[in-house]
Amino acid sequence: MIIRWLVLTLLLVIAPLRAAAQPVEVLWLGHSTTRLTSVSGKVILIDPFLTRNPVTPPEYRDLNAVGDVDLILVTHGHQDHVSDLLELSRLTGAKILANYEFARNLVALGLVDENSVISMNKGGAVEPLGRGVKIHMVHADHSSSLDYNILGIRSPDANASVRQGGGAGVPVGFVIEMENGFTIYHTGDTAVFGDMALIRELYAPDLALVCIGGFFTMGPTEAAYAVRELIKPKAVIPIHYGTFPVLNRTPAEMKDALGDTDIEMLDVVPGQAILFEGSSPVR
């Protein structure tokens, strides 16, 4: 009986350790759209822009190919970040986590059910997938608007609503802490801002997903400064470039601007998954 009890105890201890040893998967799907899979298999999709995204791999333009999704994070309301939001939420049953005004207006406009959204604000943190995966909403320096046409409704001021910036609250970024402590910072669309240093101090991200396209966001030089001097992650993946002609900046420019640094820049292509064991990418 004692031996059997010891064996059962060891199994109960070892099983969670094995689960925690599974790598975190980061799958960039072009532009800002990123799928994260935690060590326990929880799936988070950030800024769903797939079916109309010219650089998303063709297989992922079928939303069924995205697979199970437990939670959708929205950084802001621009159409190139939310065009597949409602359809993907309906298809997968995933809850939508967004800034308070954006999320509440989705409900008020009858686009989603009250129980389908998590409406929060910058500075807050939630664990909507159960204990272990924590989502922090942080600052971004950009704009936001609610595109009624993309959302499939006709507004009384449909011609002006997008340009007036109404209904979508403020832009945000996200810090996602996984069950094993691996921490990812998704900047959303942003200019460089000094308080990125606070994000480093508070959350010490292992990986930063950083916009580099220029024109609408910071470019490679500003992004390199943000990463090297302010965020200081162990690794960085450049995103939000190459989608449209005006977003013509490149990861090579960012690598040159980074200079001599211990921060690893991962130049990935849309559809290429990177696995992380601990805080290091798996080769």
Side-chain angles (χ1 to χ4, degrees):
M1 287 294 294
I2 293 175
I3 293 174
R4 181 180 296 177
W5 179 83
L6 288 171
V7 170
L8 288 173
T9 301
L10 284 171
L11 288 174
L12 289 172
V13 170
I14 292 171
L17 290 175
R18 284 178 176 169
Q22 298 303 305
V24 170
E25 182 188 81
V26 178
L27 175 64
W28 180 50
L29 292 169
H31 209 56
S32 186
T33 308
T34 311
R35 190 186 73 186
L36 309 176
T37 305
S38 79
V39 296
S40 64
K42 299 295 185 181
V43 178
I44 300 168
L45 199 287
I46 305 172
D47 285 355
F49 173 50
L50 297 158
T51 58
R52 307 181 192 200
N53 188 336
V55 299
T56 291
E59 62 270 27
Y60 286 105
R61 293 180 197 170
D62 176 0
L63 296 183
N64 289 289
V66 177
D68 295 334
V69 178
D70 298 295
L71 182 67
I72 301 171
L73 306 183
V74 178
T75 64
H76 63 293
H78 292 159
Q79 62 87 19
D80 54 330
H81 294 257
V82 302
S83 64
D84 294 307
L85 173 63
L86 300 179
E87 183 60 28
L88 190 64
S89 178
R90 292 176 186 133
L91 181 66
T92 63
K95 286 195 173 184
I96 298 167
L97 191 158
N99 81 73
Y100 184 85
E101 286 75 17
F102 184 88
R104 297 313 307 163
N105 278 323
L106 291 181
V107 175
L109 291 166
L111 298 172
V112 297
D113 181 80
E114 177 81 31
N115 296 320
S116 298
V117 299
I118 301 169
S119 49
M120 59 181 297
N121 217 319
K122 292 183 288 186
V126 292
E127 295 181 88
L129 301 177
R131 292 186 62 82
V133 178
K134 183 178 286 188
I135 313 293
H136 302 268
M137 184 176 283
V138 298
H139 182 71
D141 195 351
H142 191 59
S143 62
S144 187
S145 58
L146 192 63
D147 191 327
Y148 292 105
N149 294 323
I150 287 293
L151 295 174
I153 61 174
R154 182 82 181 165
S155 163
D157 63 338
N159 293 329
S161 61
V162 175
R163 293 175 178 82
Q164 294 299 320
V170 296
V172 302
F174 290 102
V175 174
I176 302 101
E177 294 183 57
M178 297 299 189
E179 303 97 326
N180 62 348
F182 185 74
T183 302
I184 301 166
Y185 170 33
H186 189 294
T187 65
D189 281 13
T190 191
V192 62
F193 58 94
D195 283 350
M196 286 176 167
L198 288 178
I199 293 173
R200 178 196 75 230
E201 292 292 335
L202 289 169
Y203 310 114
D206 297 290
L207 171 68
L209 297 154
V210 176
C211 54
I212 69 162
F215 199 84
F216 295 114
T217 72
M218 58 187 176
T221 302
E222 296 85 358
Y225 177 86
V227 167
R228 187 184 62 247
E229 305 296 334
L230 302 173
I231 307 168
K232 300 183 180 180
K234 296 179 178 68
V236 58
I237 296 177
I239 62 172
H240 204 279
Y241 68 90
T243 324
F244 308 113
V246 294
L247 305 183
N248 56 9
R249 310 305 295 276
T250 67
E253 291 179 85
M254 182 179 181
K255 189 172 183 64
D256 286 344
L258 274 172
D260 186 15
T261 176
D262 291 333
I263 299 168
E264 184 174 9
M265 197 193 85
L266 303 170
D267 185 0
V268 303
V269 298
Q272 177 184 354
I274 303 292
L275 302 178
F276 290 85
E277 286 184 343
S279 61
S280 302
V282 178
R283 296 301 183 191

